Amino acid sequence: MLTQFMPPTVLVMLLLTGSPAYADKAPHPYYVETVASFNSAISAVPQGVIDRITNTYTVAVSGLVGAVSLAVTGTPPWDEIAGSWNGTIKYDDGTYGVLTVKSVDKAGTRIAIAPALKKNAVHGELSNTYDGHQGQHYTAPGYYALAQHIYDYGRETACRERIIARTAVSEDKVLWVKHGGWFTHNYNLNTFPASHPEGTFFHSNHTRMDDFIGRNPGESVTASVELGGASGYLETYVGLREGVGPIEVVATFDGAIAYSNATIIGLERITVPFTDARQGTVSVKVLGSTGSTVRIGTTTWWGYDHPADYRGKRLIPDGSKVVFYGDSWGV
């Protein structure tokens, strides 16, 4: 496996070789998404890292699966861990994940997080993911979490054999149809500050996202494409600020609903598989009466010829030989 780490970019490229599954095949590239599904607050760090007091803070915390705040069980340097930052959590089962530290409450000895804990961390350890202010290098716990992210990744949404159709709102208005509302365009990477409560920069895999602004319930934007009986998966990025909305994202293939989500907060990468589909449609609709500004990234319908080679399989098969290659970003 040849690995190129380039945080905080979107993709990590893998070449898997040496396992029984690939013994008779040339190296095959896979792509692991790291912004929406891993990086959380991108490179935001605690105040003590900004002040160059130290590079890594590890705080003893406790929380059950589903918790949105953690009890601090140790005695950390509260002023130094202040702020909103990218965190790495070590769960009770020894695995790692990433999350956003939204705020640190010294008086209440609690730390607010997003998203909710995916596993129990009754004896958890919370560390900063990045080791420098506006830096590109991870801490040791950050690299443990990245390795966990790659290990847990499914092969299906890492495959990019060919593009069937792709649209970015600001580049191709043919595929997108507005039903009320309007678009504005954002081209900067840092469209929200790192101190925003979600701590999430709204990136796309082409370093841009565009605003769909809907003020009334039912206003929406829709993209439809001809798929020609292909198999593959839809990939899109949708972002919503906490406190606005809600919105609903729906994906259909040949008129049948394959995905529906009305609970998006922050930035989400959405992937939806399809098989032998003739037509695909994705829509983003405003549900709330207060209006919503939704950020929509590049939307791609990826195709591949042999679904059985990818679906339900881990990216790194058991028995694989792993070779690591990287520069200072990958040590």
PDB file of all heavy atoms in Angstrom, residues 87-116:
ATOM      1  N   GLY A  87     -10.240  17.551  17.415  1.00  0.00           N
ATOM      2  CA  GLY A  87      -9.854  16.618  18.468  1.00  0.00           C
ATOM      3  C   GLY A  87      -9.808  15.181  17.990  1.00  0.00           C
ATOM      4  O   GLY A  87     -10.530  14.766  17.077  1.00  0.00           O
ATOM      5  N   THR A  88      -8.955  14.414  18.619  1.00  0.00           N
ATOM      6  CA  THR A  88      -8.879  12.963  18.418  1.00  0.00           C
ATOM      7  C   THR A  88      -9.304  12.286  19.711  1.00  0.00           C
ATOM      8  O   THR A  88      -8.784  12.611  20.780  1.00  0.00           O
ATOM      9  CB  THR A  88      -7.459  12.531  18.043  1.00  0.00           C
ATOM     10  OG1 THR A  88      -7.113  13.063  16.767  1.00  0.00           O
ATOM     11  CG2 THR A  88      -7.340  11.011  18.000  1.00  0.00           C
ATOM     12  N   ILE A  89     -10.255  11.360  19.634  1.00  0.00           N
ATOM     13  CA  ILE A  89     -10.751  10.672  20.808  1.00  0.00           C
ATOM     14  C   ILE A  89     -10.291   9.216  20.775  1.00  0.00           C
ATOM     15  O   ILE A  89     -10.373   8.554  19.735  1.00  0.00           O
ATOM     16  CB  ILE A  89     -12.298  10.740  20.901  1.00  0.00           C
ATOM     17  CG1 ILE A  89     -12.803  10.122  22.206  1.00  0.00           C
ATOM     18  CG2 ILE A  89     -12.950  10.125  19.698  1.00  0.00           C
ATOM     19  CD1 ILE A  89     -12.562  10.979  23.423  1.00  0.00           C
ATOM     20  N   LYS A  90      -9.782   8.733  21.896  1.00  0.00           N
ATOM     21  CA  LYS A  90      -9.466   7.311  22.049  1.00  0.00           C
ATOM     22  C   LYS A  90     -10.601   6.671  22.830  1.00  0.00           C
ATOM     23  O   LYS A  90     -10.891   7.056  23.953  1.00  0.00           O
ATOM     24  CB  LYS A  90      -8.145   7.105  22.774  1.00  0.00           C
ATOM     25  CG  LYS A  90      -7.740   5.633  22.888  1.00  0.00           C
ATOM     26  CD  LYS A  90      -6.392   5.465  23.589  1.00  0.00           C
ATOM     27  CE  LYS A  90      -6.011   3.993  23.666  1.00  0.00           C
ATOM     28  NZ  LYS A  90      -4.705   3.802  24.357  1.00  0.00           N
ATOM     29  N   TYR A  91     -11.277   5.693  22.199  1.00  0.00           N
ATOM     30  CA  TYR A  91     -12.415   5.042  22.804  1.00  0.00           C
ATOM     31  C   TYR A  91     -11.970   3.926  23.749  1.00  0.00           C
ATOM     32  O   TYR A  91     -10.800   3.532  23.780  1.00  0.00           O
ATOM     33  CB  TYR A  91     -13.326   4.462  21.722  1.00  0.00           C
ATOM     34  CG  TYR A  91     -13.946   5.487  20.810  1.00  0.00           C
ATOM     35  CD1 TYR A  91     -13.504   5.637  19.493  1.00  0.00           C
ATOM     36  CD2 TYR A  91     -14.971   6.308  21.254  1.00  0.00           C
ATOM     37  CE1 TYR A  91     -14.079   6.571  18.644  1.00  0.00           C
ATOM     38  CE2 TYR A  91     -15.546   7.254  20.413  1.00  0.00           C
ATOM     39  CZ  TYR A  91     -15.098   7.377  19.113  1.00  0.00           C
ATOM     40  OH  TYR A  91     -15.661   8.306  18.278  1.00  0.00           O
ATOM     41  N   ASP A  92     -12.939   3.401  24.488  1.00  0.00           N
ATOM     42  CA  ASP A  92     -12.634   2.350  25.461  1.00  0.00           C
ATOM     43  C   ASP A  92     -12.140   1.072  24.797  1.00  0.00           C
ATOM     44  O   ASP A  92     -11.433   0.272  25.439  1.00  0.00           O
ATOM     45  CB  ASP A  92     -13.875   2.032  26.301  1.00  0.00           C
ATOM     46  CG  ASP A  92     -14.229   3.164  27.264  1.00  0.00           C
ATOM     47  OD1 ASP A  92     -13.350   4.003  27.548  1.00  0.00           O
ATOM     48  OD2 ASP A  92     -15.386   3.203  27.731  1.00  0.00           O
ATOM     49  N   ASP A  93     -12.506   0.841  23.530  1.00  0.00           N
ATOM     50  CA  ASP A  93     -12.059  -0.378  22.856  1.00  0.00           C
ATOM     51  C   ASP A  93     -10.694  -0.225  22.198  1.00  0.00           C
ATOM     52  O   ASP A  93     -10.225  -1.118  21.497  1.00  0.00           O
ATOM     53  CB  ASP A  93     -13.100  -0.827  21.823  1.00  0.00           C
ATOM     54  CG  ASP A  93     -13.284   0.182  20.679  1.00  0.00           C
ATOM     55  OD1 ASP A  93     -12.598   1.226  20.680  1.00  0.00           O
ATOM     56  OD2 ASP A  93     -14.116  -0.082  19.795  1.00  0.00           O
ATOM     57  N   GLY A  94     -10.042   0.933  22.424  1.00  0.00           N
ATOM     58  CA  GLY A  94      -8.700   1.146  21.899  1.00  0.00           C
ATOM     59  C   GLY A  94      -8.649   1.745  20.515  1.00  0.00           C
ATOM     60  O   GLY A  94      -7.552   2.038  20.012  1.00  0.00           O
ATOM     61  N   THR A  95      -9.799   1.948  19.870  1.00  0.00           N
ATOM     62  CA  THR A  95      -9.820   2.568  18.552  1.00  0.00           C
ATOM     63  C   THR A  95      -9.866   4.092  18.685  1.00  0.00           C
ATOM     64  O   THR A  95     -10.106   4.624  19.774  1.00  0.00           O
ATOM     65  CB  THR A  95     -11.019   2.080  17.727  1.00  0.00           C
ATOM     66  OG1 THR A  95     -12.232   2.436  18.402  1.00  0.00           O
ATOM     67  CG2 THR A  95     -10.955   0.567  17.542  1.00  0.00           C
ATOM     68  N   TYR A  96      -9.659   4.773  17.550  1.00  0.00           N
ATOM     69  CA  TYR A  96      -9.589   6.225  17.533  1.00  0.00           C
ATOM     70  C   TYR A  96     -10.601   6.807  16.559  1.00  0.00           C
ATOM     71  O   TYR A  96     -10.979   6.176  15.575  1.00  0.00           O
ATOM     72  CB  TYR A  96      -8.190   6.690  17.119  1.00  0.00           C
ATOM     73  CG  TYR A  96      -7.113   6.418  18.135  1.00  0.00           C
ATOM     74  CD1 TYR A  96      -6.531   5.158  18.239  1.00  0.00           C
ATOM     75  CD2 TYR A  96      -6.681   7.426  18.993  1.00  0.00           C
ATOM     76  CE1 TYR A  96      -5.530   4.906  19.179  1.00  0.00           C
ATOM     77  CE2 TYR A  96      -5.679   7.185  19.927  1.00  0.00           C
ATOM     78  CZ  TYR A  96      -5.120   5.924  20.011  1.00  0.00           C
ATOM     79  OH  TYR A  96      -4.154   5.683  20.940  1.00  0.00           O
ATOM     80  N   GLY A  97     -11.027   8.043  16.831  1.00  0.00           N
ATOM     81  CA  GLY A  97     -11.889   8.792  15.938  1.00  0.00           C
ATOM     82  C   GLY A  97     -11.585  10.268  16.054  1.00  0.00           C
ATOM     83  O   GLY A  97     -10.812  10.701  16.911  1.00  0.00           O
ATOM     84  N   VAL A  98     -12.193  11.074  15.176  1.00  0.00           N
ATOM     85  CA  VAL A  98     -12.014  12.520  15.221  1.00  0.00           C
ATOM     86  C   VAL A  98     -13.346  13.189  15.492  1.00  0.00           C
ATOM     87  O   VAL A  98     -14.411  12.651  15.191  1.00  0.00           O
ATOM     88  CB  VAL A  98     -11.408  13.071  13.915  1.00  0.00           C
ATOM     89  CG1 VAL A  98      -9.989  12.610  13.739  1.00  0.00           C
ATOM     90  CG2 VAL A  98     -12.265  12.681  12.723  1.00  0.00           C
ATOM     91  N   LEU A  99     -13.270  14.368  16.080  1.00  0.00           N
ATOM     92  CA  LEU A  99     -14.457  15.154  16.387  1.00  0.00           C
ATOM     93  C   LEU A  99     -14.049  16.613  16.517  1.00  0.00           C
ATOM     94  O   LEU A  99     -12.860  16.954  16.490  1.00  0.00           O
ATOM     95  CB  LEU A  99     -15.145  14.645  17.662  1.00  0.00           C
ATOM     96  CG  LEU A  99     -14.271  14.393  18.905  1.00  0.00           C
ATOM     97  CD1 LEU A  99     -13.883  15.669  19.622  1.00  0.00           C
ATOM     98  CD2 LEU A  99     -14.997  13.455  19.854  1.00  0.00           C
ATOM     99  N   THR A 100     -15.038  17.473  16.647  1.00  0.00           N
ATOM    100  CA  THR A 100     -14.787  18.890  16.869  1.00  0.00           C
ATOM    101  C   THR A 100     -15.038  19.233  18.323  1.00  0.00           C
ATOM    102  O   THR A 100     -16.093  18.894  18.867  1.00  0.00           O
ATOM    103  CB  THR A 100     -15.711  19.752  16.000  1.00  0.00           C
ATOM    104  OG1 THR A 100     -15.399  19.511  14.627  1.00  0.00           O
ATOM    105  CG2 THR A 100     -15.535  21.234  16.296  1.00  0.00           C
ATOM    106  N   VAL A 101     -14.069  19.862  18.959  1.00  0.00           N
ATOM    107  CA  VAL A 101     -14.290  20.464  20.276  1.00  0.00           C
ATOM    108  C   VAL A 101     -14.949  21.810  20.027  1.00  0.00           C
ATOM    109  O   VAL A 101     -14.348  22.725  19.478  1.00  0.00           O
ATOM    110  CB  VAL A 101     -12.965  20.629  21.040  1.00  0.00           C
ATOM    111  CG1 VAL A 101     -13.174  21.454  22.308  1.00  0.00           C
ATOM    112  CG2 VAL A 101     -12.373  19.266  21.391  1.00  0.00           C
ATOM    113  N   LYS A 102     -16.210  21.917  20.435  1.00  0.00           N
ATOM    114  CA  LYS A 102     -16.962  23.147  20.188  1.00  0.00           C
ATOM    115  C   LYS A 102     -16.655  24.215  21.233  1.00  0.00           C
ATOM    116  O   LYS A 102     -16.560  25.394  20.922  1.00  0.00           O
ATOM    117  CB  LYS A 102     -18.457  22.849  20.173  1.00  0.00           C
ATOM    118  CG  LYS A 102     -18.872  21.909  19.051  1.00  0.00           C
ATOM    119  CD  LYS A 102     -20.333  21.491  19.146  1.00  0.00           C
ATOM    120  CE  LYS A 102     -21.265  22.658  18.950  1.00  0.00           C
ATOM    121  NZ  LYS A 102     -22.694  22.230  18.940  1.00  0.00           N
ATOM    122  N   SER A 103     -16.515  23.791  22.489  1.00  0.00           N
ATOM    123  CA  SER A 103     -16.213  24.743  23.564  1.00  0.00           C
ATOM    124  C   SER A 103     -15.692  23.977  24.766  1.00  0.00           C
ATOM    125  O   SER A 103     -15.953  22.777  24.927  1.00  0.00           O
ATOM    126  CB  SER A 103     -17.463  25.546  23.957  1.00  0.00           C
ATOM    127  OG  SER A 103     -18.483  24.689  24.452  1.00  0.00           O
ATOM    128  N   VAL A 104     -14.950  24.675  25.613  1.00  0.00           N
ATOM    129  CA  VAL A 104     -14.387  24.105  26.829  1.00  0.00           C
ATOM    130  C   VAL A 104     -14.933  24.877  28.024  1.00  0.00           C
ATOM    131  O   VAL A 104     -14.744  26.097  28.114  1.00  0.00           O
ATOM    132  CB  VAL A 104     -12.839  24.172  26.811  1.00  0.00           C
ATOM    133  CG1 VAL A 104     -12.262  23.639  28.113  1.00  0.00           C
ATOM    134  CG2 VAL A 104     -12.296  23.393  25.612  1.00  0.00           C
ATOM    135  N   ASP A 105     -15.630  24.185  28.923  1.00  0.00           N
ATOM    136  CA  ASP A 105     -16.277  24.801  30.075  1.00  0.00           C
ATOM    137  C   ASP A 105     -15.488  24.468  31.334  1.00  0.00           C
ATOM    138  O   ASP A 105     -15.648  23.403  31.925  1.00  0.00           O
ATOM    139  CB  ASP A 105     -17.719  24.295  30.189  1.00  0.00           C
ATOM    140  CG  ASP A 105     -18.482  24.908  31.363  1.00  0.00           C
ATOM    141  OD1 ASP A 105     -17.920  25.793  32.040  1.00  0.00           O
ATOM    142  OD2 ASP A 105     -19.632  24.491  31.589  1.00  0.00           O
ATOM    143  N   LYS A 106     -14.635  25.398  31.744  1.00  0.00           N
ATOM    144  CA  LYS A 106     -13.807  25.166  32.919  1.00  0.00           C
ATOM    145  C   LYS A 106     -14.643  25.057  34.182  1.00  0.00           C
ATOM    146  O   LYS A 106     -14.432  24.165  35.010  1.00  0.00           O
ATOM    147  CB  LYS A 106     -12.789  26.310  33.058  1.00  0.00           C
ATOM    148  CG  LYS A 106     -11.893  26.195  34.286  1.00  0.00           C
ATOM    149  CD  LYS A 106     -10.896  27.343  34.326  1.00  0.00           C
ATOM    150  CE  LYS A 106      -9.985  27.262  35.553  1.00  0.00           C
ATOM    151  NZ  LYS A 106      -9.008  28.391  35.574  1.00  0.00           N
ATOM    152  N   ALA A 107     -15.640  25.941  34.329  1.00  0.00           N
ATOM    153  CA  ALA A 107     -16.474  25.933  35.534  1.00  0.00           C
ATOM    154  C   ALA A 107     -17.270  24.641  35.653  1.00  0.00           C
ATOM    155  O   ALA A 107     -17.425  24.077  36.743  1.00  0.00           O
ATOM    156  CB  ALA A 107     -17.413  27.139  35.534  1.00  0.00           C
ATOM    157  N   GLY A 108     -17.789  24.158  34.544  1.00  0.00           N
ATOM    158  CA  GLY A 108     -18.590  22.938  34.567  1.00  0.00           C
ATOM    159  C   GLY A 108     -17.789  21.681  34.330  1.00  0.00           C
ATOM    160  O   GLY A 108     -18.349  20.586  34.334  1.00  0.00           O
ATOM    161  N   THR A 109     -16.493  21.834  34.128  1.00  0.00           N
ATOM    162  CA  THR A 109     -15.563  20.727  33.851  1.00  0.00           C
ATOM    163  C   THR A 109     -16.098  19.805  32.751  1.00  0.00           C
ATOM    164  O   THR A 109     -16.067  18.584  32.872  1.00  0.00           O
ATOM    165  CB  THR A 109     -15.236  19.910  35.114  1.00  0.00           C
ATOM    166  OG1 THR A 109     -16.443  19.279  35.595  1.00  0.00           O
ATOM    167  CG2 THR A 109     -14.642  20.795  36.195  1.00  0.00           C
ATOM    168  N   ARG A 110     -16.573  20.424  31.661  1.00  0.00           N
ATOM    169  CA  ARG A 110     -17.081  19.655  30.538  1.00  0.00           C
ATOM    170  C   ARG A 110     -16.565  20.251  29.227  1.00  0.00           C
ATOM    171  O   ARG A 110     -16.222  21.436  29.161  1.00  0.00           O
ATOM    172  CB  ARG A 110     -18.613  19.604  30.512  1.00  0.00           C
ATOM    173  CG  ARG A 110     -19.240  18.979  31.747  1.00  0.00           C
ATOM    174  CD  ARG A 110     -20.697  18.629  31.516  1.00  0.00           C
ATOM    175  NE  ARG A 110     -20.873  17.518  30.589  1.00  0.00           N
ATOM    176  CZ  ARG A 110     -20.838  16.226  30.954  1.00  0.00           C
ATOM    177  NH1 ARG A 110     -20.622  15.892  32.220  1.00  0.00           N
ATOM    178  NH2 ARG A 110     -21.030  15.274  30.048  1.00  0.00           N
ATOM    179  N   ILE A 111     -16.536  19.406  28.221  1.00  0.00           N
ATOM    180  CA  ILE A 111     -16.123  19.807  26.886  1.00  0.00           C
ATOM    181  C   ILE A 111     -17.233  19.439  25.916  1.00  0.00           C
ATOM    182  O   ILE A 111     -17.622  18.262  25.822  1.00  0.00           O
ATOM    183  CB  ILE A 111     -14.803  19.124  26.480  1.00  0.00           C
ATOM    184  CG1 ILE A 111     -13.660  19.594  27.391  1.00  0.00           C
ATOM    185  CG2 ILE A 111     -14.467  19.405  25.016  1.00  0.00           C
ATOM    186  CD1 ILE A 111     -12.333  18.904  27.124  1.00  0.00           C
ATOM    187  N   ALA A 112     -17.770  20.432  25.203  1.00  0.00           N
ATOM    188  CA  ALA A 112     -18.821  20.192  24.218  1.00  0.00           C
ATOM    189  C   ALA A 112     -18.193  19.729  22.911  1.00  0.00           C
ATOM    190  O   ALA A 112     -17.180  20.278  22.467  1.00  0.00           O
ATOM    191  CB  ALA A 112     -19.638  21.448  23.992  1.00  0.00           C
ATOM    192  N   ILE A 113     -18.787  18.711  22.276  1.00  0.00           N
ATOM    193  CA  ILE A 113     -18.223  18.118  21.074  1.00  0.00           C
ATOM    194  C   ILE A 113     -19.285  17.958  19.985  1.00  0.00           C
ATOM    195  O   ILE A 113     -20.480  18.014  20.254  1.00  0.00           O
ATOM    196  CB  ILE A 113     -17.605  16.730  21.374  1.00  0.00           C
ATOM    197  CG1 ILE A 113     -18.698  15.781  21.899  1.00  0.00           C
ATOM    198  CG2 ILE A 113     -16.443  16.848  22.332  1.00  0.00           C
ATOM    199  CD1 ILE A 113     -18.255  14.329  21.984  1.00  0.00           C
ATOM    200  N   ALA A 114     -18.836  17.778  18.782  1.00  0.00           N
ATOM    201  CA  ALA A 114     -19.701  17.411  17.655  1.00  0.00           C
ATOM    202  C   ALA A 114     -18.854  16.601  16.678  1.00  0.00           C
ATOM    203  O   ALA A 114     -17.667  16.896  16.500  1.00  0.00           O
ATOM    204  CB  ALA A 114     -20.269  18.654  16.977  1.00  0.00           C
ATOM    205  N   PRO A 115     -19.387  15.562  16.060  1.00  0.00           N
ATOM    206  CA  PRO A 115     -20.718  15.020  16.313  1.00  0.00           C
ATOM    207  C   PRO A 115     -20.754  14.238  17.619  1.00  0.00           C
ATOM    208  O   PRO A 115     -19.759  14.220  18.354  1.00  0.00           O
ATOM    209  CB  PRO A 115     -20.933  14.094  15.111  1.00  0.00           C
ATOM    210  CG  PRO A 115     -19.548  13.612  14.789  1.00  0.00           C
ATOM    211  CD  PRO A 115     -18.647  14.792  15.034  1.00  0.00           C
ATOM    212  N   ALA A 116     -21.880  13.587  17.893  1.00  0.00           N
ATOM    213  CA  ALA A 116     -22.012  12.784  19.100  1.00  0.00           C
ATOM    214  C   ALA A 116     -21.024  11.614  19.075  1.00  0.00           C
ATOM    215  O   ALA A 116     -20.608  11.146  18.007  1.00  0.00           O
ATOM    216  CB  ALA A 116     -23.438  12.254  19.218  1.00  0.00           C
TER     217      ALA A 116
END
